[in-house]
């Protein structure tokens, strides 16, 4: 088996572990729950080793900057950071270990591999929806709700097979991007999967109790509508998807879980907005993030408190208490708390550069009718830029979705025609007229 085939198989394994990590931790091997939080790390290291053997390990600016930041912040954290060495190691894992996977996936995955992952994701969403509905209907604290978050309504925000609710948020957005693309590139077959997956997404959103889930899936559909302005296939796909969603919502509206989920979700939006509209409260939250660089410049040490200290795991190992280091629950706050204003800014710019690359390549793919990269950018772009990488599941989906986005540019891309040089008889070549010597060295062409 060639090294590149092995890399592809390990990427599929990485995705399976990403999806079923919570099930392994809470239901299969609960005694190894803490260790299984890092279950994908050996896989990604093996991917890098085999990618190097296959000659496809990336050597670009982003990977170079990643290695540089890891060395500098890691040494500082080990020598002068607030936390023990284990916190520094976990911080390196959270911020840097999985980042080169984006570019390994870009080089290793074929168009067929990308579409296979999408198809599996859509099929898996159907039993996942059944699971989250059952979790929503089950009592708080029951074995099936180990990863769920309790609500004030006596229910939970279901986590599915993930360790945290954030896993369902990221997974729903990923599935939504492939679902939207399936309507855009709709063929004669495949309607069973499209309809069942649409129903599953609707059901899972209804019982999610999560504004983030609604927002993440909503961004994908807004992206599809925006693409409709430049693509006729996107417009037809959006109309077909809207029709299926409308029929699906009508069919599910009479069920008890759908009605109760909608009621709780509406109440949560109302309670959290403080009287403001959802859009207004969201914009205020984003605008408040501009204060973090100023806070870091005034309050945080120039090199930060040490990488890893702002994560949930790092804060617990340092203080024995649950929560985020320095009380910084947002990603920008965590970055500047850990790395200070200088290296925190460099790390943020690195993540911004990845987002820009996703957007540029996705926009270029529109020239040959491939909308999937832009839809995947909608699913994972904000997660790459602002997602809480201190949470292992969120960080895993950020890098994996970004890798899929860059690799999906190959879907439907026209193959370059190779110039075929026709063989000529030896005598004909010998009879060609000889040009006078130009005085240039042999082998140099003008």
């Amino acid at each position: 088996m060639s090294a590149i085939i092995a890399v592809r198989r390990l990427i599929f394994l990485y995705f399976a572990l990403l999806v079923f990590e919570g099930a392994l931790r809470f239901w299969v091997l609960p005694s190894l729950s803490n260790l299984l939080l890092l279950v994908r790390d050996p896989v990604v290291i093996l991917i890098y080793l085999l990618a190097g053997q296959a000659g496809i390990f990336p050597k670009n600016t982003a990977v170079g900057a990643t290695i540089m930041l890891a060395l500098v912040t890691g040494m500082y954290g080990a020598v002068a950071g607030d936390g023990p060495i284990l916190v520094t190691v976990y911080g390196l894992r959270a911020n840097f270990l999985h980042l080169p996977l984006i570019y390994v996936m870009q080089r290793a995955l074929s168009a067929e591999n990308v579409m296979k992952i999408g198809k599996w994701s859509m099929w898996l969403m159907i039993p996942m929806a059944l699971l989250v509905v059952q979790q929503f209907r089950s009592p708080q604290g029951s074995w099936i709700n180990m990863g769920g978050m309790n609500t004030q309504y006596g229910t939970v925000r279901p986590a599915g097979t993930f360790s945290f609710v954030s896993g369902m948020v990221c997974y729903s957005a990923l599935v939504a991007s492939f679902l939207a693309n399936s309507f855009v590139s709709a063929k004669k077959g495949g309607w069973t999967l499209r309809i069942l997956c649409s129903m599953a997404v609707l059901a899972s959103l209804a019982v999610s109790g999560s504004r983030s889930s609604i927002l993440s899936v909503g961004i994908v559909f807004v992206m599809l509508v925006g693409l409709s302005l430049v693509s006729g296939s996107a417009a037809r796909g959006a109309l077909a998807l809207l029709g299926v969603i409308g029929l699906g919502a009508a069919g599910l509206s009479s069920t008890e879980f759908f009605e109760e989920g909608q009621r709780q979700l509406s109440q949560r939006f109302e309670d959290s907005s403080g009287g403001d509209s959802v859009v207004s409260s969201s914009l205020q939250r984003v605008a408040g993030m501009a204060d973090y660089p100023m806070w870091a410049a005034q309050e945080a040490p120039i090199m930060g408190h040490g990488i890893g200290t702002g994560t949930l795991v790092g804060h617990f190992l340092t203080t024995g208490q649950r929560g985020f280091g320095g009380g910084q629950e947002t990603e920008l706050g965590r970055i500047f708390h850990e790395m200070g204003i200088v290296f925190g800014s460099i790390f943020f710019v690195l993540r911004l550069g990845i987002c820009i690359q996703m957007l540029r390549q996705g926009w270029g793919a529109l020239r040959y009718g491939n909308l999937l990269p832009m839809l995947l950018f909608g699913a994972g772009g904000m997660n790459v830029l602002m997602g809480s990488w201190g949470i292992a599941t969120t960080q895993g989906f950020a890098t994996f979705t970004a890798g899929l986005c860059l690799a999906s540019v190959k879907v439907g891309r026209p193959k370059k025609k190779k110039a075929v040089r026709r063989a000529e008889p030896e005598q004909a070549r010998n009879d060609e007229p000889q040009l006078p010597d130009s005085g240039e060295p042999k082998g140099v062409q003008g």
Side-chain angles (χ1 to χ4, degrees):
M1 180 175 61
S2 67
I4 192 167
I5 294 176
V7 168
R8 289 171 177 171
R9 291 183 178 180
L10 286 172
I11 290 173
F12 277 78
L13 175 60
Y14 183 97
F15 180 57
L17 291 174
L18 180 61
V19 174
F20 293 106
E21 174 190 292
L24 290 173
R25 294 182 63 203
F26 298 143
W27 301 333
V28 180
L29 296 169
S31 61
L32 301 177
S33 177
N34 292 335
L35 186 61
L36 289 173
L37 184 65
L38 310 176
V39 68
R40 288 177 285 112
D41 294 0
V43 177
V44 80
I45 292 173
L46 186 55
I47 288 174
Y48 294 159
L49 292 175
L50 290 173
Q53 181 180 340
I56 60 171
F57 188 83
K59 300 177 182 178
N60 55 28
T61 303
V63 174
T66 298
I67 295 173
M68 182 274 292
L69 281 173
L71 289 174
V72 173
T73 58
M75 287 189 293
Y76 175 80
V79 174
D82 292 351
I85 189 65
L86 282 179
V87 173
T88 301
V89 172
Y90 186 80
L92 290 171
R93 177 247 179 244
N95 285 356
F96 306 117
L97 177 60
H98 296 244
L99 200 149
L101 180 64
I102 297 172
Y103 299 101
V104 173
M105 291 176 63
Q106 179 188 21
R107 303 185 71 178
L109 294 180
S110 65
E112 292 76 15
N113 296 147
V114 173
M115 298 309 296
K116 184 176 291 186
I117 291 174
K119 190 173 183 179
W120 285 6
S121 302
M122 291 172 64
W123 277 116
L124 185 58
M125 189 65 191
I126 299 167
M128 187 74 77
L130 297 175
L131 174 61
V132 298
V133 168
Q134 185 59 38
Q135 289 174 331
F136 178 76
R137 299 175 62 186
S138 299
Q140 295 178 347
S142 61
W143 69 270
I144 201 174
N145 278 324
M146 292 294 289
M149 182 184 296
N150 294 343
T151 71
Q152 60 183 339
Y153 312 110
T155 57
V156 299
R157 297 183 201 170
T161 59
F162 300 96
S163 298
F164 303 99
V165 176
S166 60
M168 272 305 299
V169 175
C170 300
Y171 179 66
S172 298
L174 178 66
V175 171
S177 63
F178 281 108
L179 176 62
N181 185 70
S182 71
F183 278 90
V184 170
S185 58
K187 300 178 182 179
K188 293 182 179 179
W191 279 99
T192 299
L193 176 57
R194 294 185 192 104
I195 293 172
L196 290 178
C197 186
S198 299
M199 299 281 284
V201 171
L202 275 174
S204 64
L205 290 179
V207 300
S208 67
S210 169
R211 295 172 298 166
S212 297
S213 289
I214 303 297
L215 180 62
S216 62
V217 174
I219 290 175
V220 176
F221 291 148
V222 168
M223 181 69 73
L224 178 62
V225 173
L227 292 174
S228 300
L229 301 177
V230 296
S231 170
S233 61
R236 292 189 295 270
L239 289 174
L241 179 57
L242 182 62
V244 171
I245 289 177
L247 292 174
L252 292 172
S253 61
S254 59
T255 61
E256 179 184 353
F257 75 84
F258 196 82
E259 292 180 352
E260 179 62 19
Q262 279 190 309
R263 186 189 67 79
Q264 292 187 19
L265 197 58
S266 299
Q267 186 63 46
R268 173 160 171 72
F269 272 106
E270 183 177 339
D271 294 342
S272 60
S273 65
D276 296 329
S277 67
V278 175
V279 175
S280 176
S281 59
S282 298
L283 290 176
Q284 290 176 9
R285 188 174 183 181
V286 172
M289 295 178 181
D291 296 335
Y292 286 114
M294 187 68 68
W295 167 85
Q298 296 175 353
E299 303 293 336
I302 188 66
M303 292 287 287
H305 293 275
I307 190 169
T309 57
T311 64
L312 290 171
V313 173
H315 183 66
F316 181 78
L317 291 174
T318 303
T319 65
Q321 300 177 351
R322 298 189 180 278
F324 295 89
Q328 301 300 321
E329 296 187 15
T330 65
E331 184 67 353
L332 274 180
R334 181 188 74 84
I335 290 173
F336 290 123
H337 171 86
E338 291 186 357
M339 290 188 268
I341 185 65
V342 176
F343 290 103
S345 298
I346 295 174
F347 185 52
F348 177 75
V349 170
L350 171 62
R351 290 168 63 164
L352 176 62
I354 296 172
C355 285
I356 293 174
Q357 185 178 6
M358 293 167 64
L359 181 60
R360 288 182 60 187
Q361 295 206 19
W363 186 260
L366 295 177
R367 291 177 299 179
Y368 48 91
N370 180 9
L371 276 65
L372 182 56
M374 290 296 292
L375 294 172
L376 285 167
F377 171 75
M382 285 301 297
N383 211 13
V384 171
L385 183 64
M386 304 292 290
S388 298
W389 285 19
I391 299 175
T393 306
T394 305
Q395 176 270 337
F397 268 105
T399 53
F400 194 81
T401 305
L404 281 179
C405 175
L406 296 181
S408 66
V409 174
K410 304 171 187 176
V411 176
R413 183 166 60 186
K415 295 182 179 180
K416 295 181 179 180
K417 294 182 179 180
K418 294 183 179 180
V420 179
R421 186 173 182 179
R422 304 176 71 177
E424 298 177 355
E426 184 69 20
Q427 184 63 37
R429 290 199 300 269
N430 292 336
D431 291 331
E432 288 178 354
Q434 299 297 316
L435 295 177
D437 189 356
S438 62
E440 295 179 346
K442 291 184 178 181
V444 179
Q445 298 179 347

